[in-house]
Amino acid sequence: VVAAYVADVTTNDEKPVYMSYTSAANSIGMICGPALGGLLSHYGFAVPCYVSGALSLLNLLFAIPFLKESRWVQAHDVGA
């Protein structure tokens, strides 16, 4: 979903830069996520699950007001 959004909102010159940012963020998450989960599991098995859920909720609350429809013209095309 992120790659499609980046492809929609960037120009052809910007696309490689922002796609590499997306890939870097994904890689950092794959490295830091299990490490954070392992550290939090010392406080109980449910703690990493709650933290993961809280981070997902925070992401949703951030995305709703700040991310706009990337293909607004196509979504609201009156000729279609």
Side-chain angles (χ1 to χ4, degrees):
V1 174
V2 174
Y5 188 83
V6 170
D8 285 347
V9 299
T10 57
T11 64
N12 286 337
D13 292 336
E14 297 173 327
K15 221 170 270 189
V17 173
Y18 289 107
M19 287 293 189
S20 65
Y21 290 160
T22 301
S23 177
N26 189 29
S27 297
I28 290 170
M30 287 188 161
I31 293 168
C32 294
L36 181 62
L39 290 173
L40 291 173
S41 68
H42 292 290
Y43 301 106
F45 178 72
V47 173
C49 298
Y50 289 133
V51 170
S52 176
L55 287 173
S56 295
L57 179 63
L58 183 67
N59 187 26
L60 176 68
L61 294 176
F62 178 79
I64 289 172
F66 293 111
L67 287 180
K68 304 299 180 213
E69 171 63 46
S70 64
R71 302 182 78 182
W72 193 87
V73 174
Q74 289 91 355
H76 295 89
D77 189 12
V78 290

